[in-house]
Amino acid sequence: MASALSNLSEYNEDNVPSAEKMAFGIVVAEWNRHITKALLDGCVQTLLRHGATEDNLRIAQVPGSFELTAGATVLGTELRLDAIICLGCVIKGETNHDEYINHAVATGLTQLGIQTGKPHIFGLLTVLNEQQALDRAGGRHGNKGVEAAVTAIRMVALKYALRHDLRKIGF
Ligand code: DLZ
């Protein structure tokens, strides 16, 4: 069960920095579209609520979650984007496909984050069944698209703050 502390969907809005000057790329997978659409809506609404403008959002659809890393790589060539948010939903089936996809996305996004120095946010639901996905896409466990957006804003704000501090001490 997600605790109140770990469920960012119930975050305190006052503690989230302004996203007014930030630009975000969002890559969203089409597989399990009814779920990923809810994640995308939650993500976009949260970014806008915190000051981002539609002009500063770039959204790309990819066929499945396995393609999230490739989509993030393409969007990453747009240098003005401060962070890339990846949204998808992999539901366990009869085979181990979910493990391969989930691991590939986690590894791929980690590598992209390290290579580019740009936050790449893991907004992938890795669930055992559809109900678990619904619970996390606007249901009883919040909306992980909202959480991905808040995480992205906070990570970009961290980068801005560090840049600011470095200038202050003369680097
Ligand atoms: C093939 C596949 C399967 C079985 N399940 C899912 C899923 O639950 N969620 C998802 O986002 N994508 C799934 N895919 C598609 C793969 O992510 C990928 O698009 C294909 O394997 C082609 O590379």
Side-chain angles (χ1 to χ4, degrees):
M1 192 179 82
S3 74
L5 287 176
S6 63
N7 185 349
L8 264 179
S9 297
E10 294 168 15
Y11 68 101
N12 178 353
E13 298 212 356
D14 297 337
N15 289 340
V16 179
S18 167
E20 200 183 327
K21 295 200 165 69
M22 300 177 183
F24 300 93
I26 305 173
V27 191
V28 58
E30 286 168 5
W31 260 78
N32 301 313
R33 189 182 161 75
H34 60 304
I35 303 290
T36 61
K37 176 73 170 58
L39 297 177
L40 178 64
D41 289 347
C43 180
V44 169
Q45 283 164 17
T46 303
L47 294 173
L48 296 178
R49 187 180 315 126
H50 289 287
T53 61
E54 300 223 2
D55 282 348
N56 281 339
L57 302 186
R58 191 87 151 82
I59 301 173
Q61 288 189 354
V62 292
S65 295
F66 187 76
E67 284 72 42
L68 286 171
T69 310
T73 305
V74 174
L75 274 196
T77 59
E78 237 184 270
L79 295 179
R80 73 186 184 100
L81 298 179
D82 294 301
I84 312 285
I85 301 166
C86 294
L87 304 173
C89 171
V90 177
I91 301 178
K92 180 146 191 68
E94 289 182 8
T95 68
N96 289 335
H97 78 275
D98 59 310
E99 292 176 24
Y100 290 97
I101 298 173
N102 295 340
H103 190 257
V105 176
T107 308
L109 296 186
T110 302
Q111 282 174 353
L112 281 177
I114 293 167
Q115 282 164 13
T116 63
K118 210 175 262 199
H120 281 67
I121 309 303
F122 184 85
L124 178 65
L125 298 184
T126 59
V127 293
L128 300 178
N129 53 53
E130 188 185 14
Q131 187 57 53
Q132 288 188 347
L134 291 167
D135 289 344
R136 291 159 178 79
R140 67 194 182 106
H141 290 318
N143 184 323
K144 301 299 167 185
V146 171
E147 300 182 24
V150 172
T151 304
I153 294 170
R154 291 186 56 192
M155 291 306 294
V156 175
L158 176 66
K159 272 190 81 170
Y160 283 2
L162 288 175
R163 272 189 214 147
H164 186 67
D165 283 344
L166 287 177
R167 273 193 226 112
K168 269 203 314 201
I169 57 172
F171 282 92

